[in-house]
Amino acid sequence: MIDLSNKRALVTGGSRGIGAAIARALARAGAAVAVTILNARRSAGQAGADTFGGLDIVVSNAAGGGVRPLRDTSDEQLDYAVHLNVRAYKLLMQEAAPYLEKGEGRGKIVSISSWGSERALPMYGAIGACKAALESMTRHGALELGHRGVNVICVRAGVVVTGSLRALPGVDAVLEER
């Protein structure tokens, strides 16, 4: 197992599902871990840095946007999906970068995406489009921050049984296929 003793990590959306599993794994590896939930009002990057006196690892996992046909998605629902999946990542990266650049070793920013970023899935159009934008933003973040000592990567979690996955129609067939 990787030794993350003396590392400080922040996981957004870390109270349940994939985020909670990531937070537990980081803690088992020795990191001090802070998590945020969807309705957190403070700046996540700043709050994490304030809690620990800096940051070494940031995982942008918070996601959502509703499961519905794209043709039935309102402008407000699309705005919400973009805000939660794309804008929140941009803000987190901007807030966390100065702390990650100062740490010992290379800081890490990890975005969590899904296969919906490149595959059409039923009732996943808004979220899938946002995940594609998230992946593009991650690539650009790597270009801009890599030479400053920060690794910026994206992980596609694959098919993981979570509460969100259970909301998709036909999920049993998808799980059986995988």
Side-chain angles (χ1 to χ4, degrees):
M1 176 175 253
I2 296 172
D3 181 11
L4 297 177
S5 299
N6 301 315
K7 298 295 183 185
R8 302 153 299 179
L10 171 68
V11 180
T12 67
S15 64
R16 61 190 172 106
I18 294 170
I22 292 168
R24 286 191 300 270
L26 290 168
R28 279 194 303 274
V33 181
V35 300
T36 67
I37 58 172
L38 178 62
N39 294 322
R41 299 207 182 264
R42 287 188 71 195
S43 162
Q46 184 64 52
D50 289 350
T51 299
F52 298 129
L55 288 170
D56 302 294
I57 303 164
V58 173
V59 180
S60 179
N61 170 72
V67 177
R68 67 185 56 82
L70 191 55
R71 67 177 187 198
D72 296 335
T73 301
S74 70
D75 290 346
E76 292 79 17
Q77 291 164 334
L78 181 60
D79 288 346
Y80 175 76
V82 169
H83 178 81
L84 184 57
N85 295 281
V86 182
R87 184 173 184 269
Y89 172 76
K90 180 202 70 100
L91 293 172
L92 183 63
M93 185 173 49
Q94 289 173 331
E95 294 168 3
Y99 300 103
L100 297 170
E101 292 170 3
K102 291 182 201 174
E104 292 183 29
R106 295 186 68 87
K108 314 284 187 248
I109 300 176
V110 181
S111 63
I112 305 299
S113 187
S114 75
W115 284 102
S117 66
E118 70 175 38
R119 292 185 182 160
L121 301 172
M123 301 181 60
Y124 201 74
I127 300 171
C130 289
K131 291 298 187 178
L134 171 69
E135 290 183 15
S136 178
M137 193 172 287
T138 301
R139 286 189 297 274
H140 288 277
L143 177 69
E144 295 176 12
L145 295 175
H147 70 282
R148 300 177 67 90
V150 180
N151 290 344
V152 183
I153 64 167
C154 181
V155 174
R156 285 188 186 156
V159 179
V160 179
V161 180
T162 63
S164 298
L165 182 71
R166 285 276 171 215
L168 291 174
V171 71
D172 292 329
V174 171
L175 292 174
E176 188 174 314
E177 177 186 326
R178 298 288 173 230

